[in-house]
């Protein structure tokens, strides 16, 4: 086997392996995209369920608000009556509390009244070490007067919510806007160490304030709800969460995301962080919450198929068989290759435009001319030239020129719909249409001109228009006679094309003969 054949086999095998490798990789990537889309779709459904659950629980505070605002005073018995049944029906609601706004001058009688209802009542706050101590003097306080269920939240009774900066900020925003405002996450002793809850302030007003001034003047207390994020998660989507999917509820209101809940330990190496998907939730009482989802490596492996590997292995087997076939048949295909080379040399197709080439045109015109003479039929020839194409090539470059020729060729080919017609690239930017037995060759030429014009190919260097245009010369012989030749038809069509160029281009000029060359009809001009 020759060195050339060996080099061919090596190249063929290398390219084949590369192609099948590319195909296998493409299938793998397509499979990965499908897994990712399925994963995101599933997460989106779960996000919708969780979001709906959270917003429904926030509506509880809206439902309770009228009961508190319409009462002249709030005592423990009334608070217990309004909140007890709500807590029984809502496991995610850890506590409901009522916290009035108390000024420094009102503090002593307020503590005395609450101590009469709840012996030992005292306003408290936490010191820097986290220990409980009596409140420091300040202009006003937000003590937790009543809370349910009391048994699990008795330590919160009397705690001044205004003593903690983030809760104070949330309470001020709620008072100013009249809307629900949530705090950042708070640690709940009932939940695992990595789970949190959040506190929501519902401002209560005397009457119905309509602006900021009235809200500040008529505000008197807050209805607070403490919600378990973990329980909200379990009630909404906990059952549907796979052990191979990590879902985290994050609060990113204050910049660095704060984890409120995680369905599993996010520190494990089993999670594939390249597939991390973050989906924002609706406004949660003024907080910017998102759900971050990550699949495990096992989740991805369970959803992968073996098709990419099978395709690659099958490709290797096929390449091996083809190599054997090539080696066996190489000695017998030299004659076939010689024949193939000869066919390629006499090919009748223009390699750039895909139209008939000049050789095909000459043979076709000669054949149709002889047929028209035998049958006495009409024969038309259209010669077409792209206007100022040299300037186009010079200014836009030869690659752009080639692309322009391809587009023009397609436009011309689209106009001619009969299988008996021929569209050819005559040479350079010149095209020719042979139309046997055509009633309106001028109309065809005009349609070609309009089709090219409709391409809207920019040509700012043309002196005819700012787009690519063509000029066309049409020559029609009604009844061919023996004195005429195919070459003479080409010459007359060329003359008509020359006239179209002389008259300003971007137009059609037609020359028709009733028979032979003896009686030329008037020239008809269109376009421009």
């Amino acid at each position: 086997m020759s060195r050339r054949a060996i080099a061919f086999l090596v190249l063929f095998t290398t390219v084949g392996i590369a192609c099948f490798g590319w195909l296998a990789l493409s299938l793998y990537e397509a499979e990965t995209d499908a897994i990712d889309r399925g994963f995101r779709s599933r997460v989106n459904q779960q996000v919708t369920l969780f979001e709906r659950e959270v917003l429904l629980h926030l509506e509880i505070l809206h439902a309770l608000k009228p009961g508190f605002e319409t009462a002249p005073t709030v005592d423990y018995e009334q608070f217990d009556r309004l909140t007890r049944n709500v807590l029984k029906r809502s496991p995610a609601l850890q506590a409901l509390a009522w916290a009035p706004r108390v000024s420094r001058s009102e503090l002593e009688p307020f503590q005395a009244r609450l101590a009469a209802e709840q012996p030992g009542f005292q306003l408290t706050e936490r010191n820097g070490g986290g220990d409980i101590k009596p409140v420091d003097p300040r202009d006003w306080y937000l003590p937790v007067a009543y809370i349910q269920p009391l048994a699990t939240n008795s330590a919160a009774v009397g705690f001044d919510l205004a003593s903690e900066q983030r809760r104070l900020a949330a309470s001020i925003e709620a008072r100013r806007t009249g809307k629900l405002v949530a705090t950042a996450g708070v640690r709940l002793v009932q939940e695992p160490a990595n789970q949190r809850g959040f506190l929501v302030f519902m401002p209560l007003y005397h009457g119905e304030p309509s602006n900021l001034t009235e809200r500040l003047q008529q505000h008197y207390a807050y209805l607070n709800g403490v919600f378990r994020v973990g329980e909200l998660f379990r009630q909404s989507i906990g059952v549907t969460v796979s052990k191979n999917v990590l879902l985290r509820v994050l609060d990113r209101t204050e910049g660095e995301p704060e984890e409120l809940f995680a369905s599993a330990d996010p520190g494990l190496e089993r999670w594939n962080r390249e597939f991390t998907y973050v989906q924002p939730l609706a406004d949660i009482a003024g907080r910017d919450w998102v759900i971050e989802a990550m699949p495990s490596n096992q989740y991805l492996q369970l959803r992968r198929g073996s098709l990419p590997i099978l395709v690659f292995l099958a490709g290797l087997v096929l390449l091996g068989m083809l190599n054997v076939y090539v080696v066996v048949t190489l000695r017998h295909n030299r004659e076939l290759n010689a024949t193939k080379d000869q066919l390629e040399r006499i090919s009748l197709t223009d390699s750039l435009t895909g139209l008939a080439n000049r050789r095909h045109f000459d043979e076709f015109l000669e054949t149709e001319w002889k047929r028209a003479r035998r049958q006495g039929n009409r024969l038309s020839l259209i010669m077409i030239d792209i206007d100022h194409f040299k300037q186009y090539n010079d200014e836009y470059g030869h690659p752009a020129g080639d692309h322009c020729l391809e587009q023009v060729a397609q436009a011309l080919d689209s106009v001619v719909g009969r299988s008996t017609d021929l569209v050819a690239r005559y040479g350079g930017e010149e095209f020719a249409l042979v139309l046997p037995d055509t009633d309106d060759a001028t109309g065809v030429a005009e349609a070609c001109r309009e089709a090219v014009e409709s391409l809207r190919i920019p040509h700012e260097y043309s002196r005819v228009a700012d787009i690519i245009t063509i000029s066309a010369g049409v020559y029609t012989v009604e009844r061919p006679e023996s004195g005429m030749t195919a070459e003479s038809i080409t010459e007359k069509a060329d003359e008509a094309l020359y006239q179209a160029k002389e008259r300003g281009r971007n137009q059609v000029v037609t020359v028709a003969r009733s028979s032979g060359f003896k009686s030329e009809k008037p020239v008809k001009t269109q376009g421009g």
Side-chain angles (χ1 to χ4, degrees):
M1 202 163 45
S2 65
R3 291 183 179 180
R4 185 175 180 181
I6 293 174
F8 170 78
L9 284 177
V10 172
L11 179 61
F12 176 77
T13 303
T14 303
V15 172
I17 292 174
C19 289
F20 281 108
W22 174 83
L23 180 59
L25 180 61
S26 298
L27 291 172
Y28 179 86
E29 292 177 346
E31 184 180 66
T32 300
D33 289 341
I35 293 173
D36 188 41
R37 287 195 301 271
F39 173 69
R40 293 187 177 209
S41 176
R42 181 175 179 178
V43 171
N44 287 338
Q45 294 174 5
Q46 294 172 330
V47 168
T48 300
L49 292 174
F50 178 73
E51 180 181 87
R52 185 183 303 162
E53 189 73 18
V54 175
L55 295 178
L56 285 174
H57 275 75
L58 293 181
E59 284 298 317
I60 293 174
L61 297 181
H62 285 289
L64 289 173
K65 182 180 180 181
F68 284 92
E69 288 187 331
T70 56
T73 60
V74 176
D75 55 24
Y76 183 80
E77 181 179 349
Q78 181 187 17
F79 177 80
D80 180 58
R81 177 174 54 82
L82 289 172
T83 59
R84 182 185 303 166
N85 292 332
V86 173
L87 289 164
K88 290 179 181 178
R89 294 193 298 267
S90 304
L93 185 56
Q94 177 180 314
L96 283 171
W98 186 72
R101 181 181 172 87
V102 180
S103 66
R104 184 185 297 183
S105 62
E106 298 170 329
L107 181 60
E108 187 173 336
F110 173 80
Q111 286 195 112
R113 180 171 68 84
L114 266 293
E117 295 180 3
Q118 305 177 66
F121 179 88
Q122 183 182 14
L123 262 68
T124 60
E125 63 182 39
R126 293 187 185 275
N127 61 20
D131 299 323
I132 296 294
K133 70 178 188 69
V135 293
D136 292 331
R138 57 176 63 93
D139 291 339
W140 54 274
Y141 308 85
L142 289 178
V144 176
Y146 307 120
I147 193 167
Q148 280 286 11
L150 183 60
T152 55
N153 297 280
S154 58
V157 175
F159 183 76
D160 180 19
L161 299 176
S163 65
E164 197 274 318
Q165 187 58 41
R166 292 200 292 186
R167 296 180 187 182
L168 174 62
S171 68
I172 292 174
E173 181 67 14
R175 181 190 179 202
R176 290 173 57 85
T177 62
K179 299 178 180 179
L180 289 179
V181 177
T183 66
V186 295
R187 189 171 299 282
L188 304 176
V189 296
Q190 294 88 342
E191 292 288 309
N194 65 333
Q195 314 301 336
R196 290 179 176 270
F198 61 101
L199 175 65
V200 179
F201 285 85
M202 166 63 80
L204 302 175
Y205 302 94
H206 293 299
E208 298 182 359
S210 59
N211 55 53
L212 175 60
T213 302
E214 292 179 356
R215 283 193 292 272
L216 295 178
Q217 292 174 351
Q218 296 172 221
H219 174 259
Y220 69 96
Y222 294 95
L223 178 61
N224 296 114
V226 181
F227 298 90
R228 301 182 181 97
V229 180
E231 190 61 37
L232 289 168
F233 184 90
R234 282 186 286 274
Q235 285 186 339
S236 56
I237 59 178
V239 178
T240 64
V241 175
S242 166
K243 65 179 181 179
N244 287 321
V245 175
L246 169 65
L247 293 178
R248 300 172 68 205
V249 182
L250 304 176
D251 183 351
R252 60 183 187 185
T253 307
E254 296 166 7
E256 188 67 24
E258 177 187 8
E259 182 181 290
L260 303 178
F261 175 83
S263 62
D265 184 358
L268 298 177
E269 294 183 359
R270 62 195 298 253
W271 308 117
N272 192 309
R273 285 167 172 76
E274 292 183 5
F275 284 78
T276 299
Y277 176 52
V278 177
Q279 180 64 19
L281 276 69
D283 178 81
I284 305 296
R287 308 298 295 185
D288 179 18
W289 284 15
V290 299
I291 286 187
E292 179 187 85
M294 276 184 280
S296 68
N297 293 319
Q298 186 179 11
Y299 176 95
L300 301 174
Q301 292 169 3
L302 290 173
R303 284 157 179 78
R304 290 204 180 278
S306 55
L307 181 60
I309 297 176
L310 291 176
V311 167
F312 185 68
L313 293 178
L316 294 181
V317 172
L318 180 60
L319 284 173
M321 296 173 62
L322 288 174
N323 278 334
V324 172
Y325 175 79
V326 170
V327 170
V328 172
T329 58
L330 261 178
R331 297 176 184 177
H332 306 287
N333 66 1
R334 291 181 182 178
E335 184 177 350
L336 179 62
N337 287 336
T339 303
K340 179 176 177 292
D341 292 340
Q342 183 179 6
L343 289 174
E344 289 176 350
R345 284 194 299 271
I346 63 172
S347 173
L348 301 178
T349 303
D350 178 63
S351 60
L352 175 64
T353 63
L355 299 179
N357 59 14
R358 175 65 180 273
R359 179 187 180 93
H360 192 179
F361 166 80
D362 291 338
E363 293 177 355
F364 186 85
L365 180 60
E366 184 66 30
T367 300
E368 291 304 317
W369 166 244
K370 293 177 180 178
R371 179 182 290 112
R373 284 182 56 188
R374 288 195 309 269
Q375 300 176 358
N377 293 335
R378 180 187 298 108
L379 181 63
S380 300
L381 174 62
I382 303 174
M383 299 298 291
I384 293 174
D385 192 34
I386 301 177
D387 295 329
H388 300 298
F389 185 75
K390 183 180 183 304
Q391 288 83 348
Y392 187 95
N393 245 348
D394 292 343
E395 300 298 336
Y396 292 95
H398 289 284
D402 288 347
H403 185 54
C404 175
L405 289 172
E406 291 174 345
Q407 291 178 278
V408 171
Q410 292 174 8
L412 298 178
D413 196 45
S414 67
V415 173
V416 179
R418 301 189 311 174
S419 60
T420 55
D421 300 334
L422 179 74
V423 183
R425 185 182 178 190
Y426 190 75
E429 69 272 23
E430 238 183 320
F431 298 86
L433 280 68
V434 182
L435 309 174
D437 199 21
T438 299
D439 293 332
D440 185 13
T442 302
V444 174
E446 179 63 20
C448 290
R449 189 193 65 80
E450 293 175 355
V452 172
E453 197 171 48
S454 67
L455 294 174
R456 312 299 297 175
I457 301 173
H459 187 2
E460 60 180 303
Y461 303 99
S462 172
R463 295 190 295 275
V464 179
D466 58 356
I467 58 173
I468 285 291
T469 59
I470 60 172
S471 299
V474 183
Y475 184 70
T476 298
V477 180
E478 296 292 338
R479 293 187 302 277
E481 295 182 356
S482 58
M484 299 178 65
T485 64
E487 290 78 7
S488 61
I489 297 176
T490 305
E491 292 173 2
K492 290 298 180 181
D494 268 333
E495 290 177 10
L497 174 60
Y498 178 78
Q499 293 182 34
K501 291 180 180 181
E502 286 293 307
R503 298 180 184 186
R505 303 179 188 260
N506 191 21
Q507 59 183 280
V508 176
V509 171
T510 301
V511 177
R513 284 191 177 276
S514 59
S515 64
F517 297 101
K518 297 179 180 178
S519 59
E520 183 176 341
K521 294 184 179 179
V523 174
K524 181 181 179 183
T525 305
Q526 296 187 6

